[in-house]
Amino acid sequence: MTINGHLEEFHGLPAFTFPDADDTSPRAASLPSPESVAWRIAVDAYDSGEQWEDAFSRFLAAVDAEKVRALIVGAWSEVYDTGPDTVIAALVAARDRLPALRGLFLADIVMEECEISWIVQGDVSPLLDAFPDLEEFGVRGGNQLVFPAVRHERLRTLTVETGGLPVEAVRGIAASDLPALEGLDLWLGTSEYGGDADIADLEPFFAGTRLPGLTRLALRNSEIQDAICTALASAPVVARLTHLDVSMGVLTDDGATALLSGQPLTHLKVLDLHHNYLGAGVRTRLLETLEPAGVTVDADQDDAESDEEEDGTVWRFVAVGE
């Protein structure tokens, strides 16, 4: 996923933006079949004209909602200052009209609309309660995000993208019972933007006991990436993973060496460490150790760069902050 452009695909379906009220183009007149796309519903982030819930009402009137399989919530009005409470309320109120809904993404908002750490969120658990058949849920933005412990029988993929994931939300997710969950993707972020979880708060993910079906784990975009990798080196959950993602954070030789020196990783299909601060020697060791065993390793540095002050202080940054 990227925050530089809107989602092009979600829940295995191509994204299609539902036309705004003034769109009279042929595209707007000829809508795709309701089950064939992930419907993106959004309004102008800077305009107080049409509200998101009004656009959603138009959508429900224009589309056979009973067949809709995936929804993407884009920007709502005045997104810099306003949370999605009315958006969530509108979705919950429409739950009986959306019996086939299996994928839901909240806040497909790009930086031109609102920086990720400025997106105001709220309590997202009513969405999981309202849609017990949901298989994939994603949310972007950690500012005021509330995610209490929940139980959801069918959720298979959970993604939380932030520049700073509040510790109470981390603890809520960690305490949740998600027996069907196969993929968990958490962007932990930095303390500067509210990402105040520490290694002890991540321990339930390392143990994996509440997530018996987990095979894809991403704990990334973190300034404590070295400590995460050190914990993963002996974490019980790793033995049953096919995909491990520790990318986008401040990962140095210390963390990568600890990971390599721990339990075997040769059973993995994918190890993702892109955006890192690894030296050439450790990067080579990673590739030479794991690629011959069939593991796909992404150890590219991408745009990761260190800044050094005159006093010798070195600054390193996660991929997605503000």
Side-chain angles (χ1 to χ4, degrees), residues 252-287:
T252 72
D253 287 357
D254 291 342
T257 299
L259 191 60
L260 270 177
S261 301
Q263 62 188 302
L265 302 174
T266 51
H267 64 287
L268 294 173
K269 292 182 180 178
V270 176
L271 176 62
D272 192 343
L273 312 95
H274 79 270
H275 182 98
N276 58 70
Y277 297 88
L278 302 181
V282 171
R283 182 176 291 102
T284 297
R285 183 183 166 199
L286 277 164
L287 298 175

Side-chain angles (χ1 to χ4, degrees), residues 7-78:
L7 293 174
E8 297 181 357
E9 181 182 271
F10 178 63
H11 198 58
L13 298 169
F16 180 89
T17 300
F18 183 69
D20 61 43
D22 298 324
D23 192 346
T24 59
S25 68
R27 174 180 177 275
S30 179
L31 297 175
S33 57
E35 72 278 8
S36 66
V37 298
W39 295 89
R40 182 176 185 271
I41 302 166
V43 298
D44 193 321
Y46 299 101
D47 191 345
S48 58
E50 185 179 36
Q51 300 298 299
W52 189 94
E53 52 268 32
D54 296 327
F56 184 54
S57 293
R58 286 194 300 104
F59 166 77
L60 292 175
V63 174
D64 184 356
E66 289 192 352
K67 297 180 180 179
V68 171
R69 294 187 55 80
L71 283 176
I72 300 169
V73 175
W76 48 88
S77 297
E78 300 176 351

Side-chain angles (χ1 to χ4, degrees), residues 2-318:
T2 176
I3 62 168
N4 296 321
H6 292 124
L7 293 174
E8 297 181 357
E9 181 182 271
F10 178 63
H11 198 58
L13 298 169
F16 180 89
T17 300
F18 183 69
D20 61 43
D22 298 324
D23 192 346
T24 59
S25 68
R27 174 180 177 275
S30 179
L31 297 175
S33 57
E35 72 278 8
S36 66
V37 298
W39 295 89
R40 182 176 185 271
I41 302 166
V43 298
D44 193 321
Y46 299 101
D47 191 345
S48 58
E50 185 179 36
Q51 300 298 299
W52 189 94
E53 52 268 32
D54 296 327
F56 184 54
S57 293
R58 286 194 300 104
F59 166 77
L60 292 175
V63 174
D64 184 356
E66 289 192 352
K67 297 180 180 179
V68 171
R69 294 187 55 80
L71 283 176
I72 300 169
V73 175
W76 48 88
S77 297
E78 300 176 351
V79 71
Y80 268 97
D81 301 313
T82 307
D85 291 352
T86 57
V87 172
I88 292 172
L91 288 165
V92 170
R95 58 186 168 187
D96 292 337
R97 302 184 63 179
L98 296 162
L101 190 68
R102 298 294 181 268
L104 178 59
F105 191 94
L106 178 64
D108 177 29
I109 295 170
V110 298
M111 58 190 303
E112 289 80 7
E113 296 166 324
C114 185
E115 299 283 359
I116 188 171
S117 293
W118 291 49
I119 298 171
V120 179
Q121 279 295 349
D123 186 351
V124 299
S125 63
L127 294 171
L128 294 169
D129 293 337
F131 297 100
D133 292 326
L134 209 63
E135 297 175 354
E136 182 170 4
F137 179 65
V139 57
R140 180 176 296 163
N143 184 10
Q144 301 180 42
L145 177 67
V146 176
F147 200 121
V150 299
R151 180 169 178 86
H152 197 287
E153 298 288 343
R154 303 202 177 196
L155 195 68
R156 297 174 63 183
T157 303
L158 174 61
T159 301
V160 185
E161 302 176 354
T162 78
L165 186 54
V167 64
E168 290 303 323
V170 172
R171 290 171 180 168
I173 296 168
S176 293
D177 287 317
L178 304 170
L181 199 74
E182 298 173 358
L184 177 65
D185 185 356
L186 301 182
W187 296 18
L188 298 167
T190 69
S191 55
E192 182 179 3
Y193 292 109
D196 50 354
D198 60 27
I199 287 297
D201 300 307
L202 304 178
E203 179 56 38
F205 304 125
F206 301 140
T209 52
R210 289 184 180 271
L211 304 172
L214 194 71
T215 59
R216 305 185 310 276
L217 176 62
L219 298 172
R220 53 179 173 157
N221 198 50
S222 172
E223 59 189 356
I224 60 169
Q225 212 69 58
D226 279 351
I228 289 171
C229 285
T230 299
L232 286 168
S234 59
V237 72
V238 171
R240 53 182 163 89
L241 298 180
T242 60
H243 294 66
L244 177 59
D245 188 336
V246 290
S247 66
M248 298 172 57
V250 182
L251 176 62
T252 72
D253 287 357
D254 291 342
T257 299
L259 191 60
L260 270 177
S261 301
Q263 62 188 302
L265 302 174
T266 51
H267 64 287
L268 294 173
K269 292 182 180 178
V270 176
L271 176 62
D272 192 343
L273 312 95
H274 79 270
H275 182 98
N276 58 70
Y277 297 88
L278 302 181
V282 171
R283 182 176 291 102
T284 297
R285 183 183 166 199
L286 277 164
L287 298 175
E288 291 181 347
T289 301
L290 298 176
E291 285 191 333
V295 183
T296 298
V297 180
D298 185 347
D300 291 343
Q301 285 187 301
D302 296 330
D303 296 325
E305 294 182 359
S306 301
D307 289 341
E308 185 171 352
E309 302 284 355
E310 290 183 0
D311 63 1
T313 301
V314 177
W315 297 95
R316 298 187 174 103
F317 306 96
V318 301

